Amino acid sequence: MERRNDWYEHPEYYEAIFGTDTEREVDFLLALSAKHGTGGKQWLEPACGAGRLVAAAAARGLKVAGYDISETMLAHARERLTPAQRRRVKLRASRMESFAEPSLEGRVDLAHNLVSTFRYLDSEAAAVEHLSGTRKLLRPEGIYVLGFHLSEYERTTPEHERWVGRVGRDSVVCNTHEGLPDRRLRRSPMRNRLRVTGPGKDWLIETTWFFRTYDGAQAQRLFRASGMRVLATYDFDYRIDEPLGRGSPRLDRVFVLQPAPDAALPRRPSRRAKR
Ligand SMILES: C[S@@+](CC[C@H](N)C(=O)[O-])C[C@H]1O[C@@H](n2cnc3c(N)ncnc32)[C@H](O)[C@@H]1O
């Protein structure tokens, strides 16, 4: 067995596991845009990865700007676009903490970030920078659809999920472990193992990192500090007619955010709030 250690260096296997809901996600985003936002055509995907959603949105006639920290993921994204899609797409290398694009200011109808990627931002300051930077790019009625898993600090056992997929003749098994969330450090240890087997191939791709943690109240405080208001909340079932009620116990959350009309400039988080 050959060991490797970064699943984002292997976008095809990443997508065999996490790219199976793409069309349903685009349907849901379009429905959210019509229901809560402008319904307009300019989309933005922070941390767009290998571009599965970028390509699917461009195929529906939308104009898409995307950025990611990983050149490998971006190369894969560029390669997959048809010439017609390429004319509607702009991709570049950048970070969620600092992305700025003057030509997009006040022009984005919908930004989205669905699969807990936001939790890579490892401090309150970085999360505020990202949200307030994205707010600047949105139209006043535009929306930012942010999906991530809330943490339960009382949890006493790690969480485990297992998926299987295929790429050509290779089979892929993915096991993800989220360790116990640390309320003081505001982080959870994550470990992802992809086992890829096929003709002449037996790879174990293991990636470990920390995700920042949020409970419901911490998420709400962050949104307020970033000048965003929550218009509605859904879960990862993506059912447009079934928003979550206030106080829902569901931990998988899709927040529909909009620039708060009277938002003062975002406060820098206090020292106390930094963790
Ligand atoms: C789970 S993938 C999601 C990709 C894509 N949004 C999707 O749904 O398929 C996470 C992506 O976040 C990128 N990433 C991680 N930290 C980042 C940061 N600080 N700024 C920009 N991209 C980041 C990784 O390179 C990776 O491509």
Side-chain angles (χ1 to χ4, degrees), residues 22-61:
T22 305
E23 294 303 324
R24 216 159 65 83
E25 286 167 325
V26 176
D27 288 342
F28 182 58
L29 291 169
L30 284 167
L32 289 175
S33 186
K35 182 171 173 180
H36 299 289
T38 63
K41 281 187 180 297
Q42 179 64 61
W43 284 19
L44 169 71
E45 185 178 2
C48 62
R52 64 188 181 91
L53 287 162
V54 169
R60 308 263 192 123

Side-chain angles (χ1 to χ4, degrees), residues 59-207:
R60 308 263 192 123
L62 295 154
K63 291 196 283 180
V64 188
Y67 65 87
D68 198 276
I69 201 174
S70 160
E71 290 288 357
T72 307
M73 293 294 259
L74 286 170
H76 198 83
R78 289 191 182 96
E79 212 166 279
R80 77 190 313 155
L81 298 174
T82 64
Q85 291 167 0
R86 213 165 283 147
R87 283 194 287 279
R88 291 194 275 273
V89 170
K90 285 197 176 124
L91 294 174
R92 59 175 255 218
S94 189
R95 303 183 64 95
M96 286 187 279
E97 302 87 320
S98 53
F99 177 75
E101 177 50 66
S103 69
L104 284 178
E105 279 180 22
R107 306 184 72 131
V108 171
D109 296 289
L110 177 142
H112 64 89
N113 189 331
L114 287 180
V115 289
S116 283
T117 305
F118 174 71
R119 292 181 58 200
Y120 278 110
L121 294 169
D122 63 1
S123 69
E124 199 73 354
V128 170
E129 292 295 344
H130 173 64
L131 289 176
S132 51
T134 307
R135 182 178 58 112
K136 224 168 135 184
L137 303 178
L138 289 173
R139 292 185 190 278
E141 307 291 318
I143 55 175
Y144 187 15
V145 182
L146 189 60
F148 62 93
H149 188 74
L150 292 177
S151 297
E152 217 174 5
Y153 291 112
E154 298 72 31
R155 188 156 60 81
T156 53
T157 50
E159 289 183 339
H160 171 230
E161 286 186 276
R162 182 176 185 276
W163 297 272
V164 294
R166 288 202 75 78
V167 179
R169 294 166 68 197
D170 297 342
S171 82
V172 188
V173 178
C174 174
N175 281 285
T176 297
H177 275 87
E178 176 161 0
L180 298 184
D182 183 321
R183 187 192 289 274
R184 191 179 66 81
L185 294 177
R186 294 282 307 271
R187 63 186 201 179
S188 292
M190 305 290 299
R191 190 192 67 210
N192 190 286
R193 278 193 180 137
L194 280 180
R195 182 82 186 267
V196 184
T197 49
K201 185 179 286 174
D202 184 359
W203 291 358
L204 179 67
I205 307 170
E206 181 166 314
T207 311

Side-chain angles (χ1 to χ4, degrees), residues 8-10 53 77 84 86 101 115 126 131 154 157 200 207-208 222 239 246 248 252 257 270:
Y8 295 143
E9 292 297 313
H10 301 279
L53 287 162
R86 213 165 283 147
E101 177 50 66
V115 289
L131 289 176
E154 298 72 31
T157 50
T207 311
T208 56
L222 170 70
R239 294 201 189 97
R246 266 178 187 273
S248 163
D252 288 333
L257 306 176
S270 69

